Amino acid sequence: MLFNFLATVAVLVGVSTARIGDVCRAPQGSGTCKSDNSCTTGFTVIDACPKDPASVKCCIQAACKDNSGQCLDKSRNSCAGGTWKTDLCPGGNDVQCCQKPTTPNPPAPVSNPFVDYLRRLHELATKYKGDRPANQLVMEWLRHEEYNGIEWKVLIGGVDDGFTEYVEKAGVSSIATFKDPEYGLDIKISHLGACMNGVFVKEPAAGTDTNRADVTGWGGDWMTFYGEWRRDSDDEPKGGKYCLDHMCNAVDDTTFKLRDLVEDADCYNVGMRLRANPSLNIADEMEKVLAGGYKTRMKSFVEGRFRDRATAQAIAKSMLLPGNDVTVNAGRIKLIQQKGGFFVKLPLWLSDEDMNDLTKGFADRLFGIVQLENAASK
């Protein structure tokens, strides 16, 4: 009897001698003696702080048994934004586990020399005393060494030579390429800038029409690719199959390889956003692409410019046939002859069957790439 009495006293001393603010212990765990209404992040146990008034109880803060949340007194606390789960906490029926969805950490900002390069150029363009938007000046700098000949000056206008000198005096040198995070390809910055410049200054065509904005990007690549098909047509007379075999591939050294498509997609997507909202910064928009936007770049480009396969076929055909713009008409012949030879069969002379087969291959290849992108993102 004496042993049992002493043991009982020892337990009571160990459990019950705390004062307000002191540590208290109970079978449910350890806590702190607090006034009843101040235990807002846990649950209370009675008779663990007997030297204090009845309104002072042992406030225990405990994680759920599976570490999925916090044990709270359901009758006294809310679980806003979460759900209550039973059998994961010590104590009575009112003590339950409050589980809330975890918020993933935001992705770390991308440190990319190309983005830093764009940001420096945009800062200089903002300070430059010119009459063109800062984003446009940056695009012009990107293209000025390779895409500022007479053809480009006629097509979309020349660059601001004063800004070019301003950047050179600031000690900034051109960068030729950067590594694409999705495909690991070396992206040609001058082509990206020229294409984006075209989208930015020339309003893209509506419906199934095409115009100079298209020529600066995918349209120009499509014209030269046509010339390559005609050059190789003895080996592969079907244009559709030639597209599926050689267009937008990483290993084929055509004028419309995968690298070109990546540049065409990014220039269109970013150029359209900058055109729609002049307050945006080209460096910020490219940073978004490189930080993860590349995962949906093809979908955004193909569905944004071509909508669906039937429309893509019609647009591809429009890009190859003569229209109202004599500059584009002359440029089309020149680009096709560069690859197909002077006596190349021009698109205008194709049969309807051959044209439909060719443009179907174009549409199938583009939307096939989108399907691969969608599958990779799942």
Side-chain angles (χ1 to χ4, degrees):
M1 293 292 295
L2 179 60
F3 174 80
N4 290 339
F5 174 76
L6 292 175
T8 301
V9 170
V11 171
L12 290 174
V13 169
V15 173
S16 312
T17 57
R19 293 179 175 84
I20 198 165
D22 287 348
V23 173
C24 51
R25 295 178 177 83
Q28 296 88 343
S30 299
T32 305
C33 289
K34 292 184 177 182
S35 59
D36 199 10
N37 59 6
S38 65
C39 184
T40 58
T41 58
F43 60 94
T44 58
V45 176
I46 61 174
D47 297 331
C49 301
K51 289 192 176 182
D52 292 311
S55 61
V56 176
K57 296 182 176 66
C58 185
C59 180
I60 298 175
Q61 296 181 346
C64 307
K65 292 178 182 178
D66 61 355
N67 291 317
S68 62
Q70 183 77 20
C71 291
L72 299 174
D73 187 338
K74 184 178 180 180
S75 66
R76 307 168 62 85
N77 298 279
S78 69
C79 185
T83 56
W84 294 107
K85 298 294 182 181
T86 59
D87 301 324
L88 293 176
C89 295
N93 293 333
D94 285 337
V95 181
Q96 296 184 15
C97 178
C98 174
Q99 295 179 340
K100 295 185 178 182
T102 58
T103 303
N105 294 326
V110 174
S111 178
N112 188 295
F114 179 54
V115 173
D116 296 338
Y117 175 60
L118 290 178
R119 208 170 297 286
R120 174 61 175 149
L121 290 172
H122 193 271
E123 290 173 356
L124 291 172
T126 302
K127 296 176 182 177
Y128 177 69
K129 306 299 182 182
D131 58 359
R132 300 181 183 181
N135 287 322
Q136 180 179 339
L137 290 172
V138 174
M139 297 171 199
E140 292 177 0
W141 166 265
L142 297 181
R143 74 172 175 99
H144 80 279
E145 292 181 342
E146 295 188 60
Y147 295 87
N148 193 39
I150 184 62
E151 299 92 343
W152 281 85
K153 289 179 178 178
V154 172
L155 190 65
I156 61 171
V159 306
D160 186 324
D161 293 325
F163 180 66
T164 299
E165 295 176 5
Y166 184 74
V167 174
E168 290 172 343
K169 288 180 180 179
V172 177
S173 301
S174 296
I175 297 178
T177 63
F178 70 90
K179 191 73 70 177
D180 179 67
E182 181 176 23
Y183 297 106
L185 300 168
D186 289 326
I187 300 303
K188 187 177 179 182
I189 294 174
S190 58
H191 180 241
L192 176 68
C195 170
M196 194 181 300
N197 197 180
V199 172
F200 187 77
V201 301
K202 297 295 181 181
E203 183 176 2
T208 59
D209 292 335
T210 53
N211 66 2
R212 298 186 183 195
D214 296 304
V215 176
T216 62
W218 73 269
D221 296 333
W222 176 229
M223 292 173 185
T224 53
F225 184 81
Y226 173 88
E228 290 170 330
W229 167 53
R230 295 311 308 167
R231 179 197 64 198
D232 301 334
S233 60
D234 288 343
D235 297 325
E236 181 48 72
K238 291 294 185 180
K241 188 175 187 307
Y242 192 84
C243 288
L244 296 177
D245 290 344
H246 301 287
M247 189 179 117
C248 302
N249 289 333
V251 295
D252 273 303
D253 190 23
T254 68
T255 54
F256 202 174
K257 48 189 167 291
L258 181 60
R259 189 201 73 188
D260 299 303
L261 179 64
V262 171
E263 294 161 4
D264 295 337
D266 286 349
C267 85
Y268 178 84
N269 294 335
V270 174
M272 290 293 284
R273 290 200 295 270
L274 296 176
R275 182 181 176 84
N277 187 350
S279 67
L280 297 179
N281 182 319
I282 185 174
D284 293 339
E285 295 308 303
M286 278 305 304
E287 185 174 36
K288 293 175 185 177
V289 173
L290 300 177
Y294 61 82
K295 296 178 182 178
T296 57
R297 60 154 62 109
M298 296 303 178
K299 177 181 174 66
S300 298
F301 168 56
V302 173
E303 294 184 358
R305 180 63 188 94
F306 302 99
R307 294 202 302 275
D308 53 53
R309 290 176 189 256
T311 306
Q313 269 196 262
I315 292 175
K317 180 178 180 180
S318 172
M319 193 78 262
L320 292 178
L321 296 179
N324 296 324
D325 191 326
V326 294
T327 297
V328 173
N329 290 338
R332 179 186 300 106
I333 294 174
K334 180 178 180 179
L335 290 175
I336 292 174
Q337 288 180 336
Q338 280 179 352
K339 296 300 177 182
F342 184 78
F343 296 105
V344 64
K345 186 175 186 178
L346 294 175
L348 180 63
W349 302 333
L350 285 183
S351 68
D352 290 342
E353 180 182 355
D354 286 343
M355 177 61 78
N356 290 335
D357 179 69
L358 174 68
T359 55
K360 183 178 184 301
F362 172 91
D364 287 345
R365 183 64 182 132
L366 285 188
F367 280 88
I369 291 174
V370 173
Q371 289 176 340
L372 291 175
E373 181 183 75
N374 291 340
S377 63
K378 292 181 180 179

